Amino acid sequence: MVRAVLAATLTLVGSAALSAEITLRDDLRPRLSQLWPIYGEETNTGRNRPVVLPAGEEDGYYPNGLRIISVSGVIEPGDAERLAAMIRVAVPVPEFVIVFDSPGGNFAEGVKIGRLLSHYREGNAAPKLHGVIVLDDAECMSACAVAFTLAAKLRDSGRSVRYVEQGAQLGFHMPYVPVDQQDRQTEIVAAMDLTYQIMSEYIRLIGNGIAPSALVQNALHYRRPDAFFLLRGGLVTRFMDFVPVAGPKGGTALALSGLTQRDALNMCQYLTYSQGRDMIAAEYEFWPVDIGSEFPDDTPLKTLFERYGDRRLANDGCSIEWQQGDILGIAAFGDCGRRSTGSGWCAAPRNNNGYTQHRGDLPRATGALLGDSLGCHGGNLTTRYYRWDAGNRFFEEEDPEAYSWVGELHDAPEAPILSMDWSGARLETNLNIRSAPRGDRLARWSEGTPVEVLDCTLSADGQGVWYQVRGEGQTGWASARYVGVPALAGWDLMIRPVGFE
């Protein structure tokens, strides 16, 4: 998918490099407590809760305390035992999270670290390992990515403890023999043995439902020290059964006002397609048909809730909820209990115990999720993109000929990379134009005003996404939900921007 040339030399054998630095980083707790799943996954702290609970708000959740352990630098033999000693420093062992920042190193040691961490997810009692995390200013490559991936158990499927902040780099490739040793049979045999071991570990993850086969397909393609299958906390990261997270910019809950059913259905499509292991070609083909028989219009969500008289509405494939604080809850499931599909919205079915699907609040919608549906993936204006790969391979760069057709009825000569057309944008209501997201008001423009969309950003407010626009002789910022862009007007537009993995 992505090739990246790095300064670090990541080899099979040990080197003269120093071992990884393993330290306590309690200073990271405020930052970790602001990280929320972008796509609504349940964290180890519960549903609609951050990756780590803030200090003073644990309510007994960490009975033996919480330690934040940083593993940084090149991974070398002996690091797994050093990490084990750090974990076992107290009895009983406190709960802990691991924050990785490593260019990689010794693959075999990466496997040992992964197995060590997986051990602390075991047992009938509350697991001690509460998460492995790569932050947006960090990387976890090669042997580090192996350790990160193996730190999971079967019960973690759907409640993963492997978190990737948007903007981080998680990089996979296979073991290899350094160029200057390729005539040495011993190193070649060792590399092959290690490759088989890594494959065995990945197959175990696939068999237990905590990694899709696409992860192995892509990792197998990269067999050189400077080539990686890179994940950056975006849609493909989620597809690989890791959890993209974001801080206040991207992770803040969405205000309900101004959102339409088109917004909701497009967000549900992103949630559905990126969920990974459950999606096959037939599901991709029929999901939009199942969700509604008529092309959805821009009916405000508040109007829909009032029409059906319930705080939760369902469709065949999507559920939405008007939550306390006037924010939106959303999930990629729904069932109106009808014999046929495609019949539109209904009040979510209930029984004597409450809603029949997903008791408790739905996952909250986030600014980053809305950004996906409004062409602001990861806080960057989408200009070049791929159609979503219904074959679940994501090999557009490696095998572009396989993607020259994007549909049965039309050929796209420029495929697999397509261009987003931002022309024709107009305001959909009278709107304040500001100096910055949530900034001072510069002007108030009328509904229908034509604008040029210049840029976008995610914001730490209920609007979630803002466009930088030019019009009326001025440049300013507008809440993106109130700007109509013809290319985004459809609700069945699932794309993957170039560089947003």
Side-chain angles (χ1 to χ4, degrees):
M1 174 182 293
V2 174
R3 296 183 181 273
V5 178
L6 303 181
T9 300
L10 312 179
T11 63
L12 162 69
V13 296
S15 68
L18 296 175
S19 296
E21 184 176 357
I22 301 173
T23 57
L24 291 178
R25 291 292 308 273
D26 290 339
D27 60 298
L28 289 175
R29 185 161 183 177
R31 180 175 177 181
L32 300 183
S33 66
Q34 291 187 320
L35 295 179
W36 288 73
I38 292 169
Y39 300 111
E41 289 87 354
E42 185 173 355
T43 70
N44 204 55
T45 64
R47 184 184 304 157
N48 283 333
R49 302 182 83 174
V51 169
V52 167
L53 296 179
E57 298 181 22
E58 302 98 330
D59 194 23
Y61 188 75
Y62 307 122
N64 300 312
L66 177 70
R67 310 181 89 213
I68 299 169
I69 301 174
S70 168
V71 178
S72 61
V74 178
I75 293 173
E76 291 292 328
D79 285 342
E81 185 53 42
R82 294 174 56 233
L83 178 58
M86 174 72 80
I87 293 170
R88 296 193 300 260
V89 71
V91 178
V93 174
E95 279 73 17
F96 66 95
V97 297
I98 302 291
V99 179
F100 282 114
D101 185 6
S102 168
N106 186 281
F107 263 90
E109 199 67 14
V111 173
K112 289 181 181 179
I113 292 174
R115 287 176 173 173
L116 168 70
L117 297 178
S118 177
H119 167 74
Y120 285 100
R121 292 295 300 162
E122 292 180 333
N124 294 323
K128 300 298 183 180
L129 175 62
H130 282 249
V132 289
I133 306 163
V134 187
L135 296 173
D136 69 350
D137 52 0
E139 63 182 2
C140 182
M141 314 292 282
S142 189
C144 178
V146 171
F148 179 92
T149 303
L150 296 181
K153 284 295 183 184
L154 174 61
R155 68 178 175 193
D156 293 328
S157 182
R159 189 185 185 182
S160 182
V161 296
R162 301 169 297 180
Y163 306 108
V164 183
E165 187 175 10
Q166 277 199 342
Q169 290 197 123
L170 181 64
F172 296 86
H173 62 185
M174 297 306 293
Y176 60 91
V177 179
V179 173
D180 61 353
Q181 299 178 17
Q182 288 181 356
D183 60 345
R184 296 169 60 180
Q185 183 176 0
T186 300
E187 282 75 12
I188 293 175
V189 170
M192 292 301 298
D193 286 344
L194 188 53
T195 298
Y196 295 143
Q197 181 183 1
I198 296 293
M199 284 299 300
S200 175
E201 295 291 343
Y202 281 148
I203 290 170
R204 179 178 63 83
L205 295 177
I206 294 170
N208 286 331
I210 48 180
S213 59
L215 179 61
V216 179
Q217 283 182 289
N218 280 274
L220 281 170
H221 186 85
Y222 296 94
R223 307 162 196 167
R224 296 292 181 269
D226 60 350
F228 293 90
F229 171 56
L230 279 181
L231 300 175
R232 296 186 173 93
L235 293 164
V236 181
T237 302
R238 184 182 189 233
F239 188 93
M240 299 301 167
D241 210 25
F242 305 126
V243 179
V245 295
K249 283 190 175 182
T252 299
L254 282 182
L256 183 62
S257 180
L259 295 176
T260 71
Q261 70 167 331
R262 197 192 309 263
D263 294 324
L265 292 178
N266 200 209
M267 285 190 282
C268 268
Q269 186 173 30
Y270 274 96
L271 290 174
T272 301
Y273 279 28
S274 65
Q275 66 186 345
R277 57 192 175 276
D278 296 329
M279 294 301 290
I280 60 175
E283 294 290 335
Y284 287 121
E285 181 178 358
F286 291 108
W287 182 85
V289 176
D290 289 345
I291 203 167
S293 58
E294 297 181 2
F295 191 87
D297 58 22
D298 286 325
T299 301
L301 290 184
K302 283 190 174 182
T303 299
L304 286 179
F305 285 114
E306 292 164 354
R307 180 182 301 166
Y308 289 96
D310 201 296
R311 77 180 188 94
R312 182 183 295 184
L313 305 181
N315 205 317
D316 295 303
C318 186
S319 293
I320 55 176
E321 188 171 67
W322 188 337
Q323 295 183 348
Q324 185 175 2
D326 290 339
I327 63 175
L328 175 66
I330 193 165
F333 60 76
D335 182 4
C336 288
R338 301 185 178 94
R339 295 180 181 178
S340 61
T341 60
S343 301
W345 297 100
C346 67
R350 299 173 182 257
N351 57 26
N352 292 334
N353 297 317
Y355 291 111
T356 58
Q357 285 190 306
H358 202 87
R359 293 188 176 90
D361 287 345
L362 294 180
R364 64 184 200 174
T366 63
L369 174 58
L370 181 63
D372 289 345
S373 70
L374 294 180
C376 189
H377 297 79
N380 298 300
L381 194 70
T382 299
T383 57
R384 301 163 70 240
Y385 67 92
Y386 305 116
R387 287 282 190 177
W388 190 259
D389 183 3
N392 296 340
R393 296 172 68 240
F394 310 108
F395 270 16
E396 291 90 346
E397 288 188 13
E398 297 79 3
D399 188 15
E401 290 300 317
Y403 297 86
S404 60
W405 286 82
V406 295
E408 296 180 359
L409 301 180
H410 62 281
D411 187 16
E414 70 273 30
I417 297 179
L418 305 174
S419 298
M420 178 69 73
D421 181 6
W422 285 94
S423 65
R426 294 178 178 273
L427 299 189
E428 295 184 333
T429 187
N430 298 334
L431 193 64
N432 291 328
I433 304 301
R434 300 188 177 276
S435 60
R438 299 188 298 167
D440 295 334
R441 189 176 110 169
L442 299 177
R444 185 169 180 82
W445 295 349
S446 301
E447 177 181 352
T449 299
V451 297
E452 179 184 359
V453 178
L454 304 175
D455 201 355
C456 74
T457 189
L458 304 179
S459 62
D461 60 30
Q463 296 303 305
V465 187
W466 292 73
Y467 290 149
Q468 186 183 43
V469 296
R470 180 187 294 134
E472 299 285 315
Q474 277 185 300
T475 297
W477 289 85
S479 176
R481 66 182 67 187
Y482 300 110
V483 180
V485 179
L488 300 173
W491 65 283
D492 184 16
L493 180 65
M494 179 71 187
I495 64 174
R496 179 171 70 81
V498 175
F500 185 66
E501 292 83 27

